[in-house]
Each structure stands twice: as C-alpha cells, then as structure tokens.
C-alpha cells in the first residue's frame, strides 16, 4: 500500500475523531443548558466608603438570574444606569436567594416587562399560572423567545406580583379559574374486576388503552 493512502486514512481518522469530540462537547453543553432555571436574588450594595462620604447610600435590588454570579452582574448593570455607582467604586454587602413559602399551590402571576425587538423598545404585560415566581419567569423567557424572538439579555422584568382571580385580565388564564373546570382523561388504565387480582406490583407490564 502506498504512503499516500495511509496519510489520507490518518487524516480522515483525525477529522472523524475531532468531529466526535465536537459532537460530545455539543451534547454536554446542550444538556447543561436544559437544566438552567431562573432564581430570584436579593442583592444589597453601595459605594465604597471614603473620607468624604463615610456612610454612603445603600441600594437593594430584587432580580432574577441563572446563578448568583450573573445576579451580581445584573445588579451592577442596572445600578450604574440608575445611579453613578459601578463595580469599580462599589461593593456588594449581601447576595441572598429568595425562596417562596408555598410552592405547591397554583397561583396567578402578572409580569410587567420591557423588551427590545428588531423595531424598538416595547412594554408588555403577561400572565401565567404557576406554583412559584421562578416557574413564571421561566415560562416568560420561554414564551418571549418563541413568540417574539426576544433574546434573554434584551428582556427586563419591571415588576411581578401575584394576581387575584377577579383581577385576571387574559382570557387564556381566566379559563382555568372556574370551580367546575374539568379536563378529559385521554388515557385510562384497565383494572381487573376481581379484588384478589388488584395488587400494587405486577410481574408483567400492564396493558393500556385509549378510550
């Protein structure tokens, strides 16, 4: 066999191995991004004390981010535009994650947002039915990315609050507020008629049927 053939084979094998490595890296990154969820943080910061200003003004901000590092970055982003305080001449006093007491009850959440599209800046109001505010924010980012093609960095949450049933505005949310709301059962499990055959565990997979 000629040497040229061996070289071609070696080059092909190297390129194939490189493609496999890139594919594995893509799989890892994609799998990691699927698990990312937004968390609510409370960050307290101020300007670094000096002799001219020994007790500077303290600022507190609540925001949503994927982790504490990005939350602190958002804090400096907004504070530098609202006040003349930036990371170079400021300090963070506290950074705490906020958890909800009741995360098992479905509630109505109203979200006031401001986002940038291809045309310009827009204000909007969204409503979601979720168990926590973090889940509502996740649904917000998902909807804005799918329906309006809004990037996450171009969306700012102005306010989010729990909305009572009588104050709900959107018809899509109002349809779930009825006391007699019901949903069709599209998949039923066939049960045996005899009580002696109704056991918790079976040695074979049960049969399912769509009725």
């Amino acid at each position: 066999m000629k040497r040229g053939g061996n070289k071609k084979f070696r080059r092909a094998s190297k390129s194939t191995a490189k493609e496999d490595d890139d594919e594995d890296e893509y799989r890892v990154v994609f799998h990691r991004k699927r698990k990312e969820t937004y968390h609510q943080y409370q960050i307290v910061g101020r300007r670094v004390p000096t002799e001219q200003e020994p007790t500077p003004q303290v600022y507190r901000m609540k925001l949503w981010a994927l982790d504490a590092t990005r939350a602190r970055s958002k804090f400096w982003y907004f504070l530098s535009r609202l006040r003349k305080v930036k990371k170079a001449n400021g300090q963070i006093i506290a950074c705490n994650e906020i958890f909800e007491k009741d995360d098992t009850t479905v509630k109505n959440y109203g979200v006031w947002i401001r986002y940038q599209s291809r045309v310009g800046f827009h204000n909007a109001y969204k409503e979601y039915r979720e168990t926590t505010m973090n889940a509502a924010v996740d649904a917000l980012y998902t909807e804005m990315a799918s329906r309006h093609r809004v990037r996450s960095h171009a969306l700012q949450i102005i306010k989010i609050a729990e909305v009572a049933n009588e104050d709900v505005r959107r018809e899509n949310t109002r349809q779930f507020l009825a006391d007699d709301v019901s949903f069709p059962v599209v998949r039923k499990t066939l049960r045996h008629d005899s009580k002696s055959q109704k056991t918790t565990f079976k040695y074979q997979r049960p049969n399912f049927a769509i009725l």
Side-chain angles (χ1 to χ4, degrees), residues 152-205:
S152 59
H153 60 82
L155 190 148
Q156 300 175 0
I157 299 177
I158 300 175
K159 176 185 176 182
I160 179 171
E162 185 176 346
V163 181
N165 293 342
E166 56 272 11
D167 298 333
V168 172
R169 306 181 191 177
R170 301 293 183 259
E171 187 63 30
N172 188 28
T173 309
R174 193 181 293 112
Q175 65 181 345
F176 297 100
L177 303 179
D179 296 334
D180 57 346
V181 62
S182 60
F183 304 94
V185 179
V186 297
R187 185 172 184 177
K188 292 185 178 180
T189 305
L190 299 179
R191 300 293 183 181
H192 203 280
D193 297 336
S194 177
K195 187 176 181 180
S196 61
Q197 299 295 331
K198 294 181 180 180
T199 59
T200 306
F201 301 100
K202 294 290 185 182
Y203 66 91
Q204 62 183 3
R205 185 185 298 273

Side-chain angles (χ1 to χ4, degrees), residues 6-170:
N6 294 336
K7 289 183 179 179
K8 290 182 180 179
F9 178 77
R10 290 171 186 171
R11 291 175 183 174
S13 61
K14 288 182 179 179
S15 61
T16 305
K18 185 177 181 181
E19 291 177 359
D20 294 341
D21 294 341
D22 295 341
E23 186 176 358
D24 294 339
E25 184 179 358
Y26 171 77
R27 289 175 184 172
V28 172
V29 172
F30 179 75
H31 184 67
R32 184 168 61 249
K33 283 190 176 182
R34 285 179 58 190
K35 292 186 177 181
E36 291 179 346
T37 54
Y38 285 86
H39 304 271
Q40 185 180 9
Y41 294 93
Q42 176 181 270
I43 301 180
V44 181
R46 64 175 182 177
R47 187 190 299 270
V48 175
T50 58
E51 295 181 357
Q52 293 79 9
E53 191 178 5
T55 57
Q57 180 70 29
V58 178
Y59 304 97
R60 180 173 64 94
M61 190 178 301
K62 292 182 180 179
L63 43 83
W64 278 265
L66 298 175
D67 50 36
T69 303
R70 301 184 186 185
R72 288 191 289 267
S73 178
K74 277 189 175 183
F75 174 78
W76 293 122
Y77 174 83
F78 290 114
L79 189 61
S80 62
R81 282 155 178 77
L82 297 174
R83 299 290 185 269
K84 291 185 178 181
V85 181
K86 57 183 181 179
K87 186 178 180 180
N89 58 6
Q91 61 179 184
I92 292 180
I93 301 175
C95 178
N96 304 318
E97 184 176 355
I98 300 177
F99 300 93
E100 294 192 29
K101 295 182 179 179
D102 185 11
D103 58 351
T104 58
T105 305
V106 179
K107 298 174 284 293
N108 308 317
Y109 291 102
V111 187
W112 289 261
I113 61 174
R114 178 179 175 85
Y115 66 94
Q116 182 182 8
S117 66
R118 300 174 183 176
V119 180
F121 290 89
H122 312 276
N123 297 325
Y125 171 77
K126 298 287 184 178
E127 284 182 352
Y128 302 96
R129 278 182 61 82
E130 297 289 348
T131 56
T132 60
M133 283 190 180
N134 295 341
V137 172
D138 285 338
L140 168 68
Y141 276 94
T142 303
E143 180 185 0
M144 296 302 295
S146 60
R147 288 189 174 182
H148 305 281
R149 299 295 187 269
V150 178
R151 303 294 185 265
S152 59
H153 60 82
L155 190 148
Q156 300 175 0
I157 299 177
I158 300 175
K159 176 185 176 182
I160 179 171
E162 185 176 346
V163 181
N165 293 342
E166 56 272 11
D167 298 333
V168 172
R169 306 181 191 177
R170 301 293 183 259

